[in-house]
Amino acid sequence: MYGTHLATPTNATQAKDRLYVQLAGSLGRMSRAISQTADLCEQLQVDLHAMKTFAGLDAAKFMTVASKLNDDGESEGADRPRSR
């Protein structure tokens, strides 16, 4: 009789088991979310590097155009006498 009493799960045991199942599900979802967050952080790092490269190239183009415009302005100014 004593052995059969231990074999039947109690309400507390069933509740504990149910909570462990819920915890396992929550931990699984959290693990997937952390993995996705890590992937997004890696992609963000790639995007930031690309933006840095693009900004550098764009700044170089701007400097080239500005330099050419300054050279054109100086050569036009050399043809005319300076006004004071």
Side-chain angles (χ1 to χ4, degrees):
M1 179 102 170
Y2 181 74
T4 58
H5 179 67
L6 291 177
T8 59
T10 63
N11 285 338
T13 303
Q14 290 173 345
K16 179 187 72 169
D17 290 343
R18 187 179 68 250
L19 290 174
Y20 276 128
V21 169
Q22 289 176 356
L23 178 62
S26 294
L27 290 174
R29 287 189 301 277
M30 185 175 69
S31 175
R32 286 189 297 277
I34 290 172
S35 177
Q36 185 180 18
T37 301
D39 291 344
L40 290 171
C41 287
E42 186 178 335
Q43 184 61 46
L44 176 63
Q45 188 175 10
V46 169
D47 291 347
L48 288 173
H49 180 70
M51 287 174 61
K52 179 181 170 184
T53 302
F54 176 75
L57 291 172
D58 202 42
K61 289 177 187 177
F62 176 77
M63 296 290 284
T64 301
V65 170
S67 174
K68 288 185 180 200
L69 289 175
N70 284 338
D71 289 346
D72 290 346
E74 288 176 5
S75 61
E76 286 177 13
D79 295 340
R80 290 182 276 157
R82 289 187 182 173
S83 59
R84 292 184 187 197

